[in-house]
Amino acid sequence: MLSERRLEVLRAIVQDYVGTEEPVGSKALTERHRLGVSPATVRNDMAVLEEEGYIAQPHTSAGRIPTDKGYRLFVDKLAGVKPLSVAERRAIQNFLDGAVDLDDVVGRTVRLLAQLTRQVAVVQYPSLTRSSVRHVELLSLAPARIMLVLITDTGRVEQRLIDCVAPVGETVLADLRARLNSRVVGRRFTDVPPLVQDLPESFEADDRPAVAGVLATLLETLVEEKEERIMLGGAANLTRFNHDFPLTIRPVLEALEEQMVLLKLLGEATDSTMTVRIGHENFHEGLNSTSVVAVGYGSGDEAVAKLGVVGPTRMDYPGTMGAVRAVARYVGQILAES
Amino acid sequence: MLSERRLEVLRAIVQDYVGTEEPVGSKALTERHRLGVSPATVRNDMAVLEEEGYIAQPHTSAGRIPTDKGYRLFVDKLAGVKPLSVAERRAIQNFLDGAVDLDDVVGRTVRLLAQLTRQVAVVQYPSLTRSSVRHVELLSLAPARIMLVLITDTGRVEQRLIDCVAPVGETVLADLRARLNSRVVGRRFTDVPPLVQDLPESFEADDRPAVAGVLATLLETLVEEKEERIMLGGAANLTRFNHDFPLTIRPVLEALEEQMVLLKLLGEATDSTMTVRIGHENFHEGLNSTSVVAVGYGSGDEAVAKLGVVGPTRMDYPGTMGAVRAVARYVGQILAES
DNA sequence: AGCTGGCACTCGAAACAGCGGAGTGCCAGG
DNA sequence: CCTGGCACTCCGCTGTTTCGAGTGCCAGCT
């Protein structure tokens, strides 16, 4: 276990490095922080911290920079979550309150988060799989063509076209619509399949193929993984670090274009605890010098989706975590209201 | 007017510069192109071209690079549109054919275009204002809450929530739905307003406020400008030019994040002619060293939206134009089918 | 035992000089 | 009007030097 003062030194190093973006030496440290000891002492502490793998020097006779392990310790033990100012909170609320539909909510959120943290923001659309059905509508567009519209409790709307082999009567459709809704409204998506399984049986033989088609499409829509859409914003913020990033920015941009990578990035946890993944803790090469701060958000207790930011490992963790958490909370509120 | 050979020299300069990304000198030109004259002659031609403002040298005793004006001449007079190979066309069709809904079509298109041109691709969602109504649906979510669903002929679906002051009966809703559809289905958005103006009058006085509310929301949805959404892809391609782009990439990324800028970028023309805007021809600073190649696409004769790419002024214009045009055509076909 | 001042050492960054070569403009001759 | 020749320019590369921040270590002090 490291002594109190050595932890203090590590904290100071992280803070200074995040601020100046330059390796920090023993002398500068004592000048900018009231450590109460001399540079020589700090040097000894630094030697220990380096031996333990918390900091490193880019080359001999340069200052130290934190390693991933160092940031990890900093985040876990040394840093709190910096709460936002009242003004900032108010600004968030005002900004999000103007949203008109789900797309707009997500769009505003991503811009807000990017602006607040000055980093790349990532917001996942409320996932279908964890939400429930508000309404199912069936429209007859043409005699043998039906449109299925699914409305979720998070305000999301999905629609699918269904082509039937034979025309379907208006009355049959109305019947199906009524029965379907009485069974599935308010239900979790995952609970729906068994509830509708026997529906075709209660229809005339002639209509069963059409009914089965509608059900198949509905179930397909419910499980559809591809619908885990994601919105991205603030990519321009990547260039803020370009003085040492010209090589790194490329793979990051590439990674960010892959939906799959983004989804994994936000993590799998379904609760609302914040996850911070630092540097090499990210599975994906090219994101090895970036950190991800993500948290779940949702209209109720349970998270229905995640949002977060991607930035250099050298980021202001307390501030970023504070912003991410605050935004997640407000988005949750907005969703609950709508 | 420039002589035939001088134009030929300009063409050679553009081609070489696009290929090598380095200023091109007289000697290299004569070696790589069969101009039939000596370097000295080419030098004279170059001097003239420079005087006329078509090319410039970054500094004395360096080769020449084309100016915006030079590219303009090249595009207008010297370059054709390079058609894609059969294999490429087939690949496009295969890739786009798998799309399941409008989001997917646009998503695939943007990825395709980015990959094909190795540049940043921009695709505008089919605009509401130029399309027509396929169907209007009214759902009663709660006694005093109605959802309006608008389906367009381009497959786009818009939904809006309407809160009424008093409950609205099912029969009234059905009545309104039927009348509304009989009047507006198949109509251009711009033609709709006068057609529904007198609808409230045919309802009981009690129901008129609700009917008016629905109509107001519908008309609002029809003209809503903000719905001119845009999808972006291939931002990572920006870094391909970073050897001289570290400063330029920043403002470009910033510009690309602004919906408004993107919309203007694609231009206002409603027909299907291709527009190429080169360097300073772009109104927006920060895009001064980029070119935009855009073209309209649509399900019928008329363009309902635009798509294009953004790249450095030093781009392969014939190839890019070919790809953009081909993709636009196929997307139009896909939309017409669905 | 732990802290401190002193000192020699290391090594990257910046400044500087010299060189080579690609490219130019110009001119005189075909 | 084209061409070969020639003197000139200036960028980019490389090697050298200098400068300074920072380090590790040690001896002495509390």
Side-chain angles (χ1 to χ4, degrees), chain B residues 2-63:
Chain B
L2 292 169
S3 76
E4 194 59 35
R5 195 189 59 224
R6 297 212 172 119
L7 290 176
E8 195 54 42
V9 169
L10 177 58
R11 163 188 278 145
I13 291 173
V14 171
Q15 284 176 354
D16 274 23
Y17 183 59
V18 166
T20 65
E21 311 206 350
E22 271 173 18
V24 19
S26 53
K27 190 156 159 243
L29 259 197
T30 53
E31 280 164 5
R32 305 183 28 149
H33 300 265
R34 308 207 146 274
L35 295 171
V37 290
S38 75
T41 309
V42 171
R43 279 204 288 283
N44 289 331
D45 290 345
M46 282 170 135
V48 175
L49 285 170
E50 180 162 17
E51 194 143 338
E52 302 281 333
Y54 294 110
I55 57 179
Q57 22 188 0
H59 36 255
T60 338
S61 95

Side-chain angles (χ1 to χ4, degrees), chain A residues 100-104 111 114 118 125 134-141 145 147 149 151 155-161 177 224 226-227 229 231-240 242 246-247 249-250 253-254 257 337-338, chain B residues 100-104 111 114 118 125 134-141 145 147 149 151 155-161 177 224 226-227 229 231-240 242 246-247 249-250 253-254 257 337-338:
Chain A
V100 302
D101 64 5
L102 185 65
D103 267 340
D104 202 18
R111 262 174 292 157
R118 298 183 53 86
Y125 275 70
R134 181 184 279 170
H135 187 86
V136 177
E137 184 60 31
L138 299 172
L139 311 178
S140 170
L141 295 184
R145 200 162 209 198
M147 170 167 274
V149 180
I151 305 166
R156 189 155 153 182
V157 179
E158 288 290 318
Q159 75 280 345
R160 288 285 183 289
L161 276 180
R177 180 191 301 132
E224 199 106 301
K226 84 151 188 51
E227 288 303 333
R229 283 180 56 207
M231 192 175 249
L232 195 74
N237 287 331
L238 279 178
T239 58
R240 288 197 303 127
N242 68 355
L247 288 172
I249 196 174
R250 175 81 193 262
L253 272 175
E254 275 171 0
E257 292 223 340
E337 289 166 13
S338 66
Chain B
V100 302
D101 63 6
L102 185 65
D103 267 340
D104 201 20
R111 263 173 292 157
R118 297 183 52 88
Y125 275 70
R134 181 186 279 170
H135 188 86
V136 177
E137 184 60 31
L138 299 172
L139 311 178
S140 171
L141 296 185
R145 203 162 206 199
M147 171 166 273
V149 181
I151 305 167
R156 186 155 155 183
V157 180
E158 287 291 318
Q159 76 281 347
R160 287 286 183 290
L161 276 180
R177 181 191 300 131
E224 201 104 299
K226 83 152 190 49
E227 289 302 333
R229 284 180 56 208
M231 192 174 252
L232 195 74
N237 287 332
L238 280 179
T239 59
R240 288 197 304 126
N242 69 354
L247 287 173
I249 194 173
R250 175 82 193 262
L253 271 175
E254 275 171 359
E257 291 221 341
E337 288 166 13
S338 67

